Amino acid sequence: MAPPSVPHDHAALVHAASSDAVLCTIVGIDGSFSRRVGTQLAVDPDKTRVGDMADKCLDDELASHAVAALAEGKPRLLRYGKGSPIVDFRLPCGSGLDIWIDPAPDRAALRDCVATLETREKASLALPLPVDAPDHLLRERHYIPAPRLVLLGAGGECASLVNLCETQGIAVEWREAGQGLDLGRAPEGVAVDWWTAILLLFHDHEWEHALLQWALGTPAFLIGAQGGAPAREERMARLRAAGRIEYELARIHSPVGLIPRARDPQVLALSVLSELVGTYEMLHPHA
């Protein structure tokens, strides 16, 4: 398992960048599979693994091939499942997987990807497949920065959400009323990029107008706010009166969360985080 500070999607990359690990990448899926194209597994010479391909038998099989490829000093492009010449290994899903096993990936390129992601920018890694490999196979693995949350509000809901984010390894910056937030003013010193969500959890909706005006001026991938129907109607009316157009207002998710009428702080936190993660997953370049 990767440490919480390293997103699972980046774990194999980060490990391979600082070790002698073999890097395995799913470069093609024929049918359906529980991992996406681009999923990676790093295998050390002693078969220690970072990442996973969703199937322990497949992970074990790849670890053996990775060590063999390392000893031989040559990469391998293997087909598993449907259409595979490997008759003694089957995938229970009935699909076909094409997997690139690189015993000597470009470590400098891996380190560049890790450094770029740490600056909250997108990164790409070329996969040097054979020239005669099928055209549909993945030849460049793309990465996006980990999701991040800016949480504005107060109360048990916020505390529960912060705890849940920490458990899931999602960075969160919490600003409370009177502690980094002033009524009628945008927050200062808060960085927001394309992979940051902004969430307002206020029972006193008087705080929201200036904060939503600020949030709509950021590239946040999700802007959410809690509140019942009267609060939502008043919120939208104020924003329209301030000159905000419908396209902008459509960015505001409210009521936020996937569970209707959540009444418990922990349930609301789970509901909100589920929507945040689901929206972020749609941003993945290999979705």
Side-chain angles (χ1 to χ4, degrees):
M1 295 292 290
S5 59
V6 178
H8 187 272
D9 189 55
H10 302 168
L13 167 74
V14 171
H15 183 74
S18 59
S19 70
D20 295 326
V22 178
L23 188 60
C24 307
T25 306
I26 297 178
V27 293
I29 298 177
D30 182 6
S32 63
F33 193 62
S34 55
R35 294 290 185 269
R36 59 167 57 92
V37 171
T39 295
Q40 294 179 311
L41 174 74
V43 181
D44 287 331
D46 64 357
K47 293 189 178 181
T48 299
R49 303 188 290 260
V50 175
D52 73 82
M53 298 292 192
D55 185 307
K56 184 181 183 300
C57 292
L58 178 59
D59 287 352
D60 291 343
E61 168 79 3
L62 290 175
S64 295
H65 275 285
V67 171
L70 186 63
E72 186 179 354
K74 294 181 180 179
R76 303 180 179 191
L77 178 60
L78 301 179
R79 172 82 175 196
Y80 287 100
K82 183 169 59 176
S84 172
I86 305 174
V87 296
D88 59 346
F89 188 90
R90 289 286 181 266
L91 294 175
C93 62
S95 299
L97 294 180
D98 296 291
I99 300 178
W100 175 243
I101 300 178
D102 192 345
D106 185 338
R107 306 292 174 184
L110 298 182
R111 290 191 291 271
D112 284 346
C113 283
V114 173
T116 299
L117 289 166
E118 289 176 348
T119 67
R120 305 288 298 173
E121 296 291 339
K122 295 184 291 185
S124 297
L125 176 70
L127 302 173
L129 272 61
V131 294
D132 60 348
D135 291 341
H136 68 274
L137 297 185
L138 184 70
R139 294 178 182 274
E140 189 172 39
R141 208 309 191 169
H142 301 285
Y143 307 86
I144 59 174
R148 175 176 170 272
L149 173 62
V150 171
L151 177 59
L152 310 175
E157 293 89 347
C158 290
S160 293
L161 185 54
V162 169
N163 289 337
L164 190 57
C165 284
E166 291 175 349
T167 299
Q168 296 298 316
I170 296 175
V172 56
E173 180 176 353
W174 180 16
R175 296 285 185 96
E176 294 187 73
Q179 299 180 28
L181 286 183
D182 294 312
L183 184 62
R185 298 180 60 182
E188 296 181 357
V190 178
V192 177
D193 55 33
W194 298 97
W195 301 278
T196 299
I198 299 172
L199 179 63
L200 279 63
L201 291 183
F202 289 96
H203 294 288
D204 183 354
H205 299 290
E206 176 181 32
W207 282 85
E208 294 177 344
H209 184 70
L211 298 176
L212 286 172
Q213 289 274 46
W214 164 77
L216 289 171
T218 73
F221 74 85
L222 183 144
I223 300 171
Q226 71 173 356
R232 297 197 300 271
E233 292 172 5
E234 181 179 355
R235 175 191 299 145
M236 292 303 184
R238 290 192 66 187
L239 289 169
R240 289 188 185 97
R244 293 294 181 176
I245 60 177
E246 296 305 313
Y247 172 79
E248 295 175 297
L249 299 183
R251 294 182 62 198
I252 302 173
H253 294 227
S254 188
V256 66
L258 299 183
I259 302 174
R261 295 178 294 279
R263 295 290 185 261
D264 179 88
Q266 293 180 331
V267 173
L268 178 63
L270 178 61
S271 174
V272 168
L273 191 61
S274 297
E275 181 171 2
L276 186 157
V277 171
T279 304
Y280 172 80
E281 283 292 297
M282 295 174 64
L283 303 176
H284 198 288
H286 302 300

